[in-house]
């Protein structure tokens, strides 16, 4: 049914076409929200999620157009299909929101996250950490005689896996950016 | 050439350019420059309220009764925080408001200055949008944007926070035509394919019903006119939410009365039994649906709404149509006519037969004792004695509000101002002030309870000062009637804190304010008292002492579907199950 138009830029293939919104299967969705980069816009988006009881699994935000003052907010959220539809519609109501894209519904998307992981240790553990970092294509961006800081980029699952491996090898601290995502293909 | 002026002057200039004729407000330190500009001009009248909440409700009354945005001006800190209830009220009922709050100067923001509050932070979730203006050059443009956002799409309240130094500084004035209204341009035209689909459903439906809401009224008088035309042509039954009363005339033969928790039996039964529900500008509020999983189980549901987020929020619909009610109804009527004006005549005849049987239940019947005034009687007499007047009704919140919706008949849109979504006690009196400001010659009556009335009774002084002949029709049962009713149903009749102790003498209270009042206790005196209230040239409080233990029926108890209505006191034992008891 094409009657429900959310906000311009949103997919014509809305979730209404794809599945029954009344099913209760909880799934994860990656949303890209293009907003005016004005004071308080992030608070509006976050306030919407907290005020209406929606989940935020990950959130990243940065200005992507410095002359037009547009920011891209990437939100990974989860919920049953009806809730996901409601989240998109509610986001669309926010006045400085220009576009809401559900990358999960619109088609294949590339999702990447960057993490910095500090590992301290000596001897065999230190060697093992370095070897695993190589397998995961993580770069050492800081090193002392007792520690490394690795930079790793990938899907959240890859970063989880790497962090899990580093834990017994002396993981001290981890900083993650949250997911940035872009749809595949020319458009 | 751009005109240079101070920020304070810009505010007044922008209001004039937006066609504003009245502002409701209250001055204070940070708002003084704007108040100085208001002093220096005569085009815009300023109504000095006695509490900022009153200003917002008055602006709501003004907006709801005119279709124009209501405008409010308050100072920083407490001035701004006192607007919060009104803002939320307007947000839930989709009332266009432009609220301007003053703020401490920009260089003091964040220092916990005197009368500083994070106003945009506090009001973010209770406005459609808000702005903190840090540069005088941008002030005029933001003012014009604010009017655009408040009135376009689904209307709502907006707030502009203006620091004192921005008011004093000089900048370039942007006229409305040059102001960028941005990308905020909501879709008004409905999808033609979907509208055609709706026409197909209407042609075949055996048991159709129109379920209309405040969106019809917000769309403008044209939408109400189109609705009347469609109902007249199809002969489909129609019911409406509290917010939608008047869009279709109560005297129309297709009118079933209000639906929902305290709706009419025939309206709720028809909603439960219909096979095609056409929701126009309503939002499946929980006061309407009752138990969601048993709501109108056998129907196809179409939903016309300008706000995409209203669709499938509570009830899954089969046919969503996003667009402005007026535009969609115009297309709907055109397509239906072009396809040959078809309806399922046999189906409809049988459907009306059923509905007429439900009507025979006569669900609003009540006993008429001679020694005590029943609240229903008071409203029935009020209706009889005022229906031929140019009449506007406001209400407070509670039993009296529901009885007003049941017993007063609205023939035109914009005639009932009531707090539907938020349920704000204290709304009605200030709202009646706003209505009377917009319609100085009309008869404006606030149907109140004695408890709600006391929540903003300070505004009687405003009415007296501005010679607004508002009528306060208090159904005084010395109880918080609706709270008492729920305690009856849910808490074994333990009336915790739900009676009105130490009530003022409302007649003396009226006199203390310089108004007039009268107490009526005998049903035989009722007509005379109402007559005196109508004829009095000035604000009037009529204290109608009514039956103290009357409950409001029909009632869909919480957690029950539409066909499980309580019709009177004898059926209320164990009416609400344990799961229903947790609902509001």
């Amino acid at each position: 049914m094409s009657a429900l138009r959310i906000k311009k830029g949103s997919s014509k293939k809305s979730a209404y076409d794809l599945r029954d919104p009344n099913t209760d299967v909880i799934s994860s969705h990656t949303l890209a929200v293009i907003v005016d980069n004005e004071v308080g816009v992030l608070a509006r988006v976050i306030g919407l999620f907290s005020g209406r009881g929606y989940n935020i699994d990950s959130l990243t935000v940065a200005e992507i157009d410095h002359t037009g003052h547009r920011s891209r907010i990437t939100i990974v959220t989860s919920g049953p299909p009806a809730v996901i539809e409601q989240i998109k519609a509610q986001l669309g109501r926010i006045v400085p929101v220009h576009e809401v894209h559900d990358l999960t519904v619109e088609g294949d998307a590339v999702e990447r996250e960057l993490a910095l992981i500090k590992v301290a240790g000596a001897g065999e553990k230190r060697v093992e950490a370095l070897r695993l970092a190589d397998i995961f294509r993580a770069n050492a961006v800081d090193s002392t005689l007792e520690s490394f800081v690795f930079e790793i980029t990938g899907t959240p699952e890859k970063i989880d896996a790497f962090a899990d491996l580093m834990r017994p090898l002396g993981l001290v601290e981890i900083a993650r950016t949250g997911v940035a995502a872009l749809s595949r293909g020319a458009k | 050439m751009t005109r240079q002026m101070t920020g304070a002057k810009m505010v007044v200039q922008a209001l004039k350019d937006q066609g504003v004729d009245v502002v409701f407000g209250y001055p204070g330190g940070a708002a003084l420059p704007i108040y100085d500009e208001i002093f220096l001009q005569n085009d815009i009248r300023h109504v000095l309220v006695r509490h900022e909440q009153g200003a917002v409700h008055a602006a709501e009354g003004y907006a709801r009764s005119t279709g124009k945005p209501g405008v409010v001006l308050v100072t920083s800190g407490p001035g701004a925080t006192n607007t919060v209830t009104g803002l939320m009220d307007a947000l839930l009922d989709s009332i266009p408001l432009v609220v301007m709050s003053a703020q401490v100067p920009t260089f003091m923001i964040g220092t916990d200055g005197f009368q500083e509050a994070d106003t945009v932070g506090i009001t973010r979730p209770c406005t459609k949008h808000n702005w903190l203006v840090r540069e005088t050059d941008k002030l005029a443009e933001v003012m014009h944007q604010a009017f655009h956002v408040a009135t376009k799409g689904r209307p709502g309240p907006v707030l502009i926070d203006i620091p004192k130094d921005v008011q004093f500084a000089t900048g370039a004035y942007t006229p409305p035509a040059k102001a960028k209204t941005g990308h905020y341009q909501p879709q008004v035209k409905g999808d033609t394919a979907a509208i055609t689909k709706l026409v197909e459903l209407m042609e075949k439906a055996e048991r159709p019903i129109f379920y209309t809401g405040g969106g019809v009224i917000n769309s403008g008088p044209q939408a109400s006119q189109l609705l009347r035309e469609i109902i007249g042509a199809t002969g489909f039954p129609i019911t409406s939410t509290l917010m939608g009363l008047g869009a279709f005339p109560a005297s129309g033969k297709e009118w079933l009365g209000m639906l929902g928790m305290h709706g009419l039996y025939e309206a709720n039964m028809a909603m439960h039994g219909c096979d095609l529900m056409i929701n126009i500008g309503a939002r499946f509020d929980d006061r309407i649906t009752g138990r969601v999983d048993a709501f109108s189980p056998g129907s196809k549901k179409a939903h016309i709404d300008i706000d995409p987020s209203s669709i499938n929020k509570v009830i899954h619909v089969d046919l969503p149509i996003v667009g402005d009610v007026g535009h969609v109804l115009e297309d709907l009527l055109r397509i239906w006519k072009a396809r040959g004006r078809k309806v399922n005549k046999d189906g409809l005849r049988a459907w009306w037969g059923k509905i007429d049987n439900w009507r025979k239940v006569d669900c609003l019947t009540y006993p008429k004792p001679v020694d005590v005034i029943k609240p229903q009687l008071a409203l029935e007499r009020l209706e009889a004695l005022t229906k031929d007047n140019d009449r506007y009704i406001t209400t407070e919140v509670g039993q009296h509000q529901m009885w007003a919706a049941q017993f007063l008949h609205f023939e035109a849109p914009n005639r009932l101002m009531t707090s539907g979504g938020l349920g704000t006690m204290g709304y009605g009196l200030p709202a009646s002030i706003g209505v009377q400001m917009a319609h100085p010659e009309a008869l404006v009556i606030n149907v109140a309870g004695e408890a709600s009335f006391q929540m903003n009774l300070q505004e009687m002084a405003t009415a007296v000062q501005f010679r607004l002949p508002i009528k306060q029709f208090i159904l005084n049962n010395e109880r918080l009637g609706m709270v008492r009713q729920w305690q009856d149903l849910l808490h074994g009749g333990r009336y915790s804190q739900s009676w009105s102790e130490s009530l003022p003498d409302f007649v003396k209270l009226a006199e203390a304010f310089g108004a007039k009042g009268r107490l009526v206790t005998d049903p035989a005196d009722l007509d005379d008292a109402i007559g005196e209230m109508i004829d009095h040239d000035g604000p009037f409080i009529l204290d109608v002492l009514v039956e103290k233990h009357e409950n409001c029926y029909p009632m869909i108890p919480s957690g029950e579907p539409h066909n499980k209505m309580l019709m009177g006191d004898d059926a209320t034992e164990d009416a609400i199950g344990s799961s229903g008891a947790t609902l509001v």
Side-chain angles (χ1 to χ4, degrees):
Chain A
M1 216 161 281
S2 62
L4 186 77
R5 292 194 206 132
I6 299 210
K7 199 142 195 180
K8 58 176 176 287
S10 304
S11 169
K12 284 224 170 78
K13 260 197 313 178
S14 91
Y16 288 98
D17 300 309
L18 305 175
R19 55 174 82 90
D20 177 2
N22 286 338
T23 57
D24 286 315
V25 186
I26 291 179
S27 57
S28 173
H29 285 246
T30 304
L31 309 179
V33 187
I34 311 297
V35 300
D36 285 326
N37 185 18
E38 59 181 39
V39 178
V41 66
L42 187 59
R44 286 179 208 285
V45 171
I46 294 171
L48 168 68
F49 277 76
S50 64
R52 292 185 185 264
Y54 306 141
N55 298 316
I56 297 181
D57 297 331
S58 152
L59 181 138
T60 66
V61 54
E63 190 169 83
I64 52 163
D65 174 358
H66 297 306
T67 49
H69 301 292
R70 296 284 168 82
S71 289
R72 183 180 177 107
I73 303 175
T74 309
I75 305 167
V76 181
T77 183
S78 55
V83 172
I84 299 290
E85 282 311 304
Q86 188 56 209
I87 290 172
K88 289 188 275 183
Q90 292 291 350
L91 284 167
R93 284 176 84 187
I94 298 175
V95 171
V97 167
H98 287 252
E99 298 168 29
V100 180
H101 295 279
D102 184 342
L103 298 176
T104 308
V105 171
E106 286 178 19
D108 228 0
V110 186
E111 295 191 5
R112 287 295 180 270
E113 185 177 6
L114 184 143
L116 297 173
I117 295 176
K118 185 177 283 181
V119 182
E124 193 49 41
K125 284 187 173 174
R126 185 171 160 85
V127 178
E128 182 64 15
L130 208 53
R131 192 163 55 219
L132 284 167
D134 191 42
I135 293 169
F136 276 80
R137 292 167 218 253
N139 299 319
V141 290
D142 176 70
S143 56
T144 65
L145 291 174
E146 302 91 39
S147 69
F148 292 114
V149 174
F150 294 116
E151 173 204 306
I152 179 169
T153 308
T155 62
E157 294 75 22
K158 177 181 164 183
I159 292 170
D160 284 343
F162 184 65
D164 286 346
L165 286 171
M166 287 301 113
R167 210 152 273 129
L169 300 177
L171 187 141
V172 178
E173 210 176 356
I174 180 162
R176 299 173 69 148
T177 59
V179 173
L182 219 52
S183 60
R184 290 182 190 272
K187 275 188 86 177
Chain B
M1 204 188 83
T2 52
R3 291 161 68 193
Q4 296 287 315
M5 61 180 83
T6 64
K9 198 172 178 61
M10 262 181 211
V11 168
V12 174
Q13 186 61 47
L15 293 178
K16 285 182 190 171
D17 286 350
Q18 289 291 340
V20 173
D21 56 0
V22 55
V23 171
F24 302 91
Y26 203 98
L32 287 179
I34 299 173
Y35 270 91
D36 201 34
E37 288 299 332
I38 285 187
F39 186 85
L40 293 170
Q41 56 84 49
N42 286 316
D43 298 332
I44 296 170
R45 284 175 301 165
H46 179 275
V47 177
L48 178 70
V49 294
R50 300 304 189 261
H51 184 287
E52 289 88 351
Q53 186 189 352
V56 186
H57 294 323
E60 286 186 271
Y62 177 94
R64 187 83 181 153
S65 67
T66 59
K68 294 196 289 186
V71 180
V72 174
L73 174 60
V74 296
T75 192
S76 64
T81 56
N82 279 343
T83 65
V84 165
T85 302
L87 288 170
M88 194 64 217
D89 191 271
L91 186 69
L92 280 179
D93 285 346
S94 305
I95 310 294
L97 295 184
V98 176
V99 176
M100 291 160 293
S101 58
Q103 181 56 279
V104 300
T106 49
F107 53 85
M108 280 183 71
I109 289 176
T111 66
D112 296 330
F114 178 64
Q115 294 196 328
E116 181 185 356
D118 174 11
T119 302
V120 287
I122 290 167
T123 60
R124 199 174 284 127
C126 55
T127 51
K128 188 174 169 187
H129 194 59
N130 60 14
W131 294 262
L132 168 64
V133 183
R134 289 170 174 275
E135 294 157 59
T136 307
D137 277 334
K138 292 199 172 143
L139 179 55
E141 186 165 68
V142 168
M143 292 278 299
H144 301 311
Q145 280 172 358
F147 278 88
H148 176 80
V149 171
T151 53
K152 292 289 177 293
R154 181 176 177 177
V158 300
L159 179 139
I160 312 163
D161 203 25
I162 313 170
K164 195 170 184 183
D165 55 337
V166 173
Q167 301 171 34
F168 270 127
T170 301
Y173 180 77
T174 312
K178 294 236 171 89
K180 289 191 212 89
T181 47
H183 70 283
Y184 186 75
Q185 307 291 347
Q187 173 189 344
V188 292
K189 199 99 173 103
D191 180 74
T192 312
I195 297 172
T196 310
K197 187 90 188 14
L198 175 55
V199 171
E200 284 169 20
L201 292 174
M202 284 166 62
E203 288 167 351
K204 293 198 194 85
E206 290 179 9
R207 302 184 308 281
I209 189 166
F210 279 98
Y211 146 47
T212 60
V216 181
I217 294 173
N218 278 338
S219 181
Q222 177 74 3
S224 293
Q225 202 47 51
L226 285 160
L227 180 69
R228 288 157 194 233
E229 216 177 307
I230 289 174
I231 302 290
T234 58
F236 288 3
I238 174 169
T239 179
S240 159
T241 66
L242 179 66
M243 297 308 293
L245 294 178
F248 189 79
S251 58
K253 67 180 184 337
E254 298 86 356
W255 175 244
L256 303 185
M258 181 178 77
L259 82 159
M261 184 171 272
H262 293 288
L264 269 65
Y265 182 75
E266 50 268 44
N268 285 335
M269 290 304 280
M271 284 289 279
H272 192 79
C274 67
D275 70 344
L276 173 63
M277 179 188 299
I278 306 164
N279 172 345
I280 309 178
R283 60 183 177 90
F284 296 109
D285 180 89
D286 56 68
R287 300 298 91 168
I288 297 304
T289 58
R291 193 169 128 195
V292 168
D293 62 5
F295 174 70
S296 190
S299 62
K300 278 223 179 292
K301 298 174 187 73
H303 187 181
I304 301 167
D305 204 298
I306 198 158
D307 179 0
S309 78
S310 284
I311 285 165
N312 290 344
K313 183 169 66 181
V314 179
I315 297 289
H316 174 65
V317 294
D318 305 280
L319 183 58
I321 300 173
V322 174
D324 167 62
V325 167
H327 284 79
V328 174
L329 289 186
E330 199 176 348
D331 288 344
L332 184 71
L333 192 61
R334 183 175 47 75
I335 295 169
W336 179 75
K337 281 178 178 168
R339 285 170 56 102
R341 300 164 174 263
K342 285 180 287 219
V343 292
N344 183 337
K345 284 199 178 111
D346 295 338
L348 265 180
R349 197 174 306 117
W351 181 221
W352 273 112
K354 265 190 180 172
I355 291 172
D356 287 337
N357 280 332
W358 289 325
R359 276 178 166 168
K360 280 180 199 145
V361 170
D362 210 358
C363 64
L364 297 182
T365 348
Y366 61 94
K368 289 180 184 166
V370 289
D371 55 337
V372 61
I373 301 173
K374 288 279 184 179
Q376 299 97 320
L377 177 77
L379 285 163
E380 222 166 53
R381 295 315 302 156
L382 183 71
E383 168 67 15
L385 296 169
T386 61
K387 64 174 195 260
D388 296 327
N389 291 69
D390 178 16
R391 180 189 76 179
Y392 292 82
I393 298 288
T394 68
T395 79
E396 304 286 348
V397 168
Q399 285 182 324
H400 66 273
Q401 179 189 28
M402 292 297 103
W403 280 315
Q406 292 172 342
F407 287 91
L408 302 181
H409 300 312
F410 298 94
E411 296 295 315
N414 307 98
R415 296 283 173 158
L416 170 64
M417 276 48 66
T418 189
S419 171
L422 195 62
T424 310
M425 292 171 71
Y427 167 90
L429 166 52
S432 67
I433 287 173
V435 175
Q436 191 82 71
M437 276 304 290
H439 309 276
E441 303 302 322
L443 174 63
V444 181
I445 303 168
N446 175 34
V447 176
E450 86 288 347
S452 282
F453 178 79
Q454 290 182 92
M455 279 209 181
N456 268 323
L457 67 80
Q458 76 284 349
E459 300 305 332
M460 282 303 292
T462 311
V464 172
Q465 181 187 343
F466 291 87
R467 298 166 195 265
L468 301 171
I470 51 169
K471 314 301 179 194
Q472 303 300 312
F473 190 73
I474 301 178
L475 298 177
N476 183 350
N477 60 358
E478 300 174 346
R479 301 288 185 280
L480 278 67
M482 194 59 96
V483 173
R484 201 203 65 92
Q485 177 165 348
W486 279 60
Q487 288 169 335
D488 239 2
L489 293 171
L490 276 170
H491 297 281
R494 293 182 296 283
Y495 303 125
S496 180
Q497 308 299 317
S498 61
W499 68 93
S500 299
E501 198 70 67
S502 307
L503 277 175
D505 176 330
F506 287 106
V507 177
K508 283 188 183 153
L509 186 75
E511 285 160 7
F513 277 113
K516 197 162 166 35
R518 175 167 170 180
L519 172 72
V520 55
T521 55
D522 187 338
D525 298 335
L526 196 51
D527 280 17
D528 185 61
I530 293 172
E532 187 187 345
M533 175 184 84
I534 300 168
D535 294 337
H536 180 69
D537 183 19
F540 195 98
I541 297 177
L542 184 57
D543 183 13
V544 187
L545 223 55
V546 296
E547 162 71 57
K548 298 187 194 316
H549 305 110
E550 192 72 14
N551 283 341
C552 182
Y553 296 108
M555 177 179 185
I556 303 176
S558 8
E560 295 292 345
H562 276 180
N563 60 346
K564 294 269 161 55
M565 274 165 279
L566 305 178
M567 303 300 284
D569 284 327
D570 47 348
T572 57
E573 209 169 306
D574 300 324
I576 298 180
S578 55
S579 61
T582 60
L583 301 172
V584 287

